[in-house]
Amino acid sequence: MKFFIDTADVKEIAAATELGLVDGVTTNPSLVAKSGRDFHDVLKEIISLVDGPISAEVVATDAAAMIKEAEVLAKLDPEKIVIKLPLTEEGLKATKALSQKGFKTNLTLIFSPLQALLAAKAGATYVSPFVGRLDDVGHEGMECVEQIRTIFDNYGYGTEIIVASVRSPQHVLQAGMIGADICTIPYSVMLQLAKHPLTDIGLEKFLADWQKHVAK
Ligand code: G3P
């Protein structure tokens, strides 16, 4: 399973890259706003740090304006930049046009398997179901991912599934069990993945035993 990091904080991206955990990056307008920086400046820095797909989201809401924004964003790095678009009718229109022109797209704010199916039919490169936000309203976020996996496999869609709105290691585990292609993970959750109390206890004991041995 590929790991993307879900952040616009370049320090987090650099730290996760050092751990060997970054196959790509996803950003969204809220994450860019949180960084407090100019969107294009942030993207340029991420491009210099990461050798993989980088999702940059449009903020226009009509297809023609989305396409214009996409063209400007993709110029920053046509290979790495993936245009992130909301799963709306206008977003689907823009996705179809952009995919025909060879742009990579990531359809975001997906909350149902049928929305994901529409994205795949429009030619999306990626779909991003938001599992945490579904859980927040009493649904089973991962059930949506499971259904998308089944539909894509049934019909051989090449659109990759990015499990997004990841809140815990449990989401990452379930994404792997379902066979999602990618998990986009906040840096804090990436760090949690490495932690296990038995690892810490075990290491402490190994080192204590070693000290006793060398002291003999
Ligand atoms: O990048 C989109 C998604 O991962 C947002 O997550 O935690 O704001 O629901 P969250």
Side-chain angles (χ1 to χ4, degrees):
M1 181 168 54
K2 284 174 274 187
F3 277 13
F4 290 179
I5 184 164
D6 196 25
T7 186
D9 181 333
V10 287
K11 283 194 189 122
E12 289 184 347
I13 295 169
T17 300
E18 252 186 275
L19 295 172
L21 298 180
V22 178
D23 300 307
V25 179
T26 52
T27 64
N28 64 38
S30 304
L31 293 170
V32 175
K34 195 174 155 195
S35 79
R37 297 183 56 198
D38 174 78
F39 187 25
H40 284 210
D41 288 349
V42 175
L43 286 176
K44 283 179 201 159
E45 211 173 326
I46 298 174
I47 289 164
S48 72
L49 283 172
V50 175
D51 191 19
I54 299 158
S55 286
E57 190 159 343
V58 298
V59 287
T61 52
D62 71 278
M66 285 174 178
I67 292 166
K68 272 192 194 146
E69 261 186 64
E71 285 167 347
V72 175
L73 290 169
K75 273 202 185 108
L76 293 173
D77 190 320
E79 266 309 300
K80 293 183 187 174
I81 293 290
V82 175
I83 307 302
K84 208 170 177 195
L85 306 122
L87 196 291
T88 58
E89 285 175 35
E90 293 298 308
L92 286 170
K93 275 190 226 167
T95 300
K96 189 177 175 209
L98 288 167
S99 66
Q100 281 171 346
K101 289 183 188 178
F103 288 78
K104 296 178 194 108
T105 54
N106 173 3
L107 271 281
T108 188
L109 291 168
I110 289 191
F111 295 98
S112 85
L114 293 176
Q115 287 181 312
L117 174 58
L118 299 190
K121 287 181 73 64
T125 319
Y126 303 100
V127 288
S128 292
F130 276 28
V131 295
R133 293 194 197 181
L134 278 167
D135 292 349
D136 289 346
V137 295
H139 289 255
E140 273 291 337
M142 295 312 300
E143 203 173 275
C144 177
V145 176
E146 216 164 351
Q147 290 170 329
I148 296 170
R149 180 76 282 158
T150 302
I151 293 169
F152 284 7
D153 289 348
N154 282 348
Y155 297 98
Y157 286 113
T159 302
E160 292 192 69
I161 304 170
I162 304 179
V163 175
S165 187
V166 163
R167 305 274 171 79
S168 66
Q170 198 59 22
H171 280 146
V172 182
L173 173 64
Q174 288 173 300
M177 296 304 288
I178 290 167
D181 303 279
I182 301 145
C183 235
T184 189
I185 311 171
Y187 183 57
S188 56
V189 176
M190 275 190 184
L191 294 180
Q192 282 178 288
L193 297 177
K195 286 265 166 237
H196 199 291
L198 290 178
T199 304
D200 298 337
I201 292 166
L203 181 60
E204 213 173 293
K205 176 145 176 42
F206 281 160
L207 295 179
D209 289 345
W210 186 253
Q211 282 311 319
K212 276 185 238 158
H213 169 70
V214 293
K216 267 184 203 163

